[in-house]
Amino acid sequence: MATSSNTLPETGFIRLAQIVGQKADPSKYKRKRVEIIGLLPISRTTFLNGVKSGKYPKPIKLGERTTAWRVEDIRELILSLGGMA
């Protein structure tokens, strides 16, 4: 089952899986992972390499093991790439 949201909140943060998507694979993990359809049609590695090179927005550390991106930054990225946010 795929989950998707066509609208972004006005403010807040989103995680990497929401940006690039996530495949479901419940047999490989203890916790059941559901499929998430990403906002950008690129791989996780491509996105993280773009962040490292400055092509994509920098993340915000919310905790020791929690990284997220500002919704406003991702919306601007989508618009600059010619998409609709």
Side-chain angles (χ1 to χ4, degrees):
M1 178 171 103
T3 59
S4 173
S5 174
N6 293 333
T7 60
L8 290 170
E10 289 297 317
T11 60
F13 299 97
I14 58 175
R15 303 286 305 271
L16 183 59
Q18 295 168 294
I19 299 169
V20 298
Q22 169 180 285
K23 292 183 180 181
D25 190 3
S27 64
K28 191 174 179 182
Y29 300 94
K30 279 185 169 181
R31 290 194 290 165
K32 190 174 184 179
R33 282 191 348 176
V34 297
E35 183 175 354
I36 300 173
I37 298 172
L39 297 170
L40 299 175
I42 59 175
S43 71
R44 178 181 188 276
T45 301
T46 300
F47 183 77
L48 292 176
N49 285 339
V51 169
K52 188 175 181 179
S53 72
K55 182 178 180 179
Y56 300 133
K58 295 284 183 194
I60 306 296
K61 290 291 283 182
L62 299 178
E64 184 179 327
R65 296 178 57 188
T66 306
T67 303
W69 282 258
R70 288 189 173 104
V71 170
E72 298 90 342
D73 294 342
I74 299 302
R75 183 178 290 113
E76 286 178 24
L77 172 64
I78 292 169
L79 290 173
S80 72
L81 295 173
M84 297 173 52

